[in-house]
Structure formats: C-alpha cells, structure tokens
Amino acid sequence: MHVGIGVFFQGLEPGRDDHAVMRDQLALADASEGAGFDSVWTAEHHFTRYQMMPNPAQFLTWMAGRTTRVRLGTMVMVLPWHDPVRVAEEIAWLDSVSEGRVVLGLGRGLGSVEFDGFRLEMGESRRRFVEYATAISGALESGAIEFDGELLQQPRAELHPPAFTSFRGRTYASAVSPESAKIMATLGFGLMLIAQKPWETTLRETTEYRELFRSIHDAEPPAPVLVNFTTTDVDPGRAREMHEKFAVGYARSTIDHYEFTDERLERVEGYEYYAGLRRNIEKHGLATFNRFLADLQIGGTPDEVVEQTVERVRALGAGGVVNVLGFGGMTGAESRRCFDTYVQHVLPRLAAVDTHRDIGAPLPEGQAA
C-alpha cells in the first residue's frame, strides 16, 4: 500500500508562534523519506492559522531538494487564487527538478475569508476552476499554455522547462458536491477524498464517479487518494485522549474556518450544496456535527489504525492513504510522538498490504484520460 504523509501547518496551540509551528512540521517532513513514507503532501490556505501554507509548490520544491524518492503532492492547489500561467510554470519546474515525482492535486476553494483576502468573487470559483484546470492540464501535456474562455483569455506561452513527463494519471481534485465530482470525471482527474460525509455516501459517490469516468473516457480512472487526519498511540487510553482532543479540535477548526453555519455560503453560486449542510447542523446541533466530522477520521491504537485504513482503502479501491499526523493543537512533541508511533507500529504493516493500485501511477501509454 502506498502510504504518504500530509504536512499541515496548523497553529491552534495557545502561546506558540507561527515559526515554532513551521519548525515542528518541517522536522516531520524532513524525516518522512527516511522513515519509509512514499509521498509528502501539503495543503494551501491563507490569512489565518488554520493552515499556514500559501503555496504548496514552494514547500514541495524545498522537499524536492531534500529527498530522492518520495512523491511530492499538493492537497490541493486552489486554482481560483492563482494565475494559471504561474501554476503551470511552477508545477512544470517542480516536476523537472524532481524528475517526475509530482502528484498534482487541485481544488476550487471554500473559505470566504480567503476569497475576500484575494479580492475575488467566490461565485466565479467553479467556472474559474474548470477553465484554469483545463488550461493547466493542457499546458503540462503540450509544453505551452493557451486558452480562450469566458474568464481566462491566455495567449500562447511556452513552458521552459516543460513537465518531466505526462500528468495523465497523476492529477487529482478534491470534490465534495456531486456537481464537482462530475467536473472532475469530465476533466479526467482522479478523486482526492478528505472525509466530510457519511462513509456510505462517500462509497456511493465514488462508485458513481468511477462509472461516469469510464463512460466518458472508456478507461479506468486513477486510483483515489484517501486523506486522513490520523491519531495513534500504543496505549489505548492515550489513543482515545488524542482523538478526543486533536481530532475533535481539528473538526471544530474546520467548521470555524469554512463558516459552515453562515447562511452566506449557500447563497453563493456553485456552493448550493452547503445549504443542506447548514440545515443539518441546525437540526442536530453544532456539537453533534463537530463529533461527526471528528469520528470520520482514523484514530486509535496501531492495530485499530491498520484495520481501519485497510478496510477503507480496499472499499474505495484507493491507491493508498495520506496521513496528517500533526494537527488540532498538537505540540511539537505530541506530533512527533504520533509520527514515531505510526512509523514504528503502523507503516511497515500497511506497506506489506497489496492493494494492486497506486497513488499517482502514470496511465499506460495511449490510454485516454
């Protein structure tokens, strides 16, 4: 099984400054290849301490120079917040310097605080995503970017250097709403799954996406990427405490950052799905929803983490799993203990599991995507 680590620069700990959070998470990233992880990932966020990483390509270029083997993943780059020419250039350069190790994850964004900070109209995000993603994907294959759309008019410009090799089969996108999943299938992207829905719903929608992908492309989609915010400890009591403190704390930070209880979100074009989410929160209560989000994450003793991970990866037909091991208010020492426990007691067992699929595996020559 492909097992990756997600580096999440989240500053929820009272009294710790941003630079201390960065140092602790960079230390985990630096130790990841030697510990046996197959890939290193980070997400993109702006303007708050929810996740302090404005440009995943910048962090992953640093990682490319400090590693030789691990794949380098974005989970995700939020396209409406970038000039697509810059994204295409940055990813092509990163792919060249790492000799083809990039796994490209893309998204359209959800945090209104971030759209406001960039002075962007949130209601344009879906249309911008489709146009930008189409232009960038084409550029990474052809070595030149050119597009004439409603929101993006881009004259032909060459990428030097071009991508090291094709991105077919190693481009993914996060999708929460069914409408977004349809867009990802049409674009030929794999799914990046970050638990936000009941497990049965995730399984059903992944199956529907896979069937749609096959009908459009007459080919199998890339194996999904499963992302988890993971807590583990060999002591069962300590493992439960970690889940209660850090998974629950992370879930609450997600609710606050994305403002799931704010009516504004559901009135924005392309975000109608969240009207139902807010109604569910009102019906069942914020504490219940907080608990629901937390319990979607994998956590427990090493035995429990292995069992949950294998079950989910096999049910989804996923290529593997990416684990965030420092989040939710963990100190540097706590995140390192979680990392060390995972490396010693979980990672070797998962690496021995044969899933027959892989994250970011290139598609066979000639296969459509």
Side-chain angles (χ1 to χ4, degrees), residues 341-364:
T341 301
Y342 193 96
V343 166
Q344 183 177 353
H345 299 286
V346 177
L347 183 54
R349 295 167 63 183
L350 293 181
V353 174
D354 185 2
T355 59
H356 304 292
R357 309 199 77 185
D358 194 10
I359 292 174
L363 293 175

Side-chain angles (χ1 to χ4, degrees), residues 44 46 53-62 64 72 74 76-79 81-99 102-104 106 136 139-140 145 158-164 167 170:
E44 175 183 356
H46 302 265
M53 172 46 59
N55 189 347
Q58 185 177 18
F59 164 73
L60 294 174
T61 302
W62 182 82
L72 307 166
T74 63
V76 295
M77 293 189 78
V78 182
L79 293 190
W81 303 338
H82 293 267
D83 183 327
V85 176
R86 298 294 300 181
V87 173
E89 286 189 320
E90 290 170 3
I91 294 301
W93 200 94
L94 174 60
D95 201 49
S96 296
V97 77
S98 67
E99 298 187 336
V102 178
V103 184
L104 180 59
L106 304 172
I136 291 165
L140 293 174
I145 187 168
E158 295 184 358
L159 307 184
H160 293 287
F164 191 76
F167 270 80
R170 57 186 178 121

